[in-house]
Amino acid sequence: MRLRFLLPFAVLATATPAMAQDSAQPACELHIWPAERFQAMTTGWLGGGLLDAAGHANGDKARRSHLASALDPQGQLDALTKLDLVKLLNLPPSKIVTHAEALDRKTINKIKTRRSDSAATCYSELMVTDVFYQKAAMWGRSLRTSFMLRTFQPGTAEPTIRKTMGGNGLKIFPVKEGEDTTAADAELIDVFQRNFSEAAGNFAKQTASR
């Protein structure tokens, strides 16, 4: 009789592409939080200012709402965990731990201690801090995303902090009112992922320059 051996359910349930290849849980942890803040800014040929902002206020409000829907907290986490985060961030084999509730943006720079109750000795935090849509008359449409990576070294109370952003152009978003948003939503997720890959490269440059 052939026997089948199954991995424990907990390992299967938490396995992601960014985790170690073997079945053993890695000793390191990477905790991820999504952004709570979405911004949209459209500038015409007036080049900004109060008059320009007032003229685009209603449209930018709708675009912020669409961003918050397509890239809601779970959408951000799903997009990130589909990437090989450990490889992109040059981390040791790490268990990915996601947090569905965004951190208060006002506390991200103020609180230096761990934002989870994990006691892992090998521990890092990735925070999405801002998601920003911009349309400029001269440069076109783009999505920019800001990230913060905090690494806690053994025996240290405060982390090593790196901040950067990634930004790429948009061709579909935003759609006109009443149009199907499926393609625009998919584009936002794709660009969000590309923004992170760009940000990860910036993190690597910051590390190399130290």
Side-chain angles (χ1 to χ4, degrees), residues 154-171:
T156 59
E158 294 191 2
T160 299
I161 300 174
R162 286 172 281 173
K163 304 176 185 178
T164 191
M165 70 166 53
N168 285 277
L170 296 164
K171 296 181 179 180

Side-chain angles (χ1 to χ4, degrees), residues 39-207:
Q39 301 181 72
M41 182 174 70
T42 302
T43 55
W45 293 107
L46 295 176
L50 294 176
L51 183 61
D52 204 4
H56 297 103
N58 289 335
D60 283 339
K61 182 178 179 181
R63 287 181 275 275
R64 282 196 302 272
S65 178
H66 189 166
L67 281 176
S69 175
L71 290 170
D72 64 1
Q74 191 58 51
Q76 294 175 55
L77 296 174
D78 288 344
L80 288 173
T81 54
K82 287 177 181 176
L83 302 174
D84 192 339
L85 298 177
V86 170
K87 181 178 180 180
L88 287 168
L89 292 172
N90 295 312
L91 296 175
S94 302
K95 174 184 177 182
I96 304 299
V97 182
T98 59
H99 298 265
E101 186 174 351
L103 297 170
D104 183 347
R105 184 63 177 82
K106 296 178 181 178
T107 70
I108 288 178
N109 291 312
K110 293 180 180 179
I111 298 176
K112 303 300 184 182
T113 54
R114 297 187 183 198
R115 301 307 300 265
S116 80
D117 59 2
S118 172
T121 56
C122 180
Y123 176 89
S124 299
E125 297 177 340
L126 174 66
M127 303 168 182
V128 188
T129 55
D130 291 288
V131 181
F132 177 49
Y133 164 82
Q134 183 177 26
K135 179 182 179 182
M138 185 175 294
W139 308 111
R141 296 167 289 170
S142 63
L143 182 73
R144 299 188 180 192
T145 316
S146 299
F147 301 91
M148 180 186 295
L149 181 64
R150 310 199 320 166
T151 304
F152 290 77
Q153 301 296 340
T156 59
E158 294 191 2
T160 299
I161 300 174
R162 286 172 281 173
K163 304 176 185 178
T164 191
M165 70 166 53
N168 285 277
L170 296 164
K171 296 181 179 180
I172 303 173
F173 179 88
V175 299
K176 295 179 180 179
E177 185 177 355
E179 291 184 348
D180 182 77
T181 65
T182 303
D185 292 347
E187 180 186 46
L188 287 172
I189 293 169
D190 175 68
V191 173
F192 178 83
Q193 290 176 315
R194 286 194 280 138
N195 287 354
F196 176 77
S197 295
E198 183 179 320
N202 293 336
F203 284 141
K205 293 176 184 177
Q206 291 174 13
T207 300

Side-chain angles (χ1 to χ4, degrees), residues 10-21:
V11 175
L12 291 173
T14 57
T16 73
M19 291 178 63
Q21 295 296 318

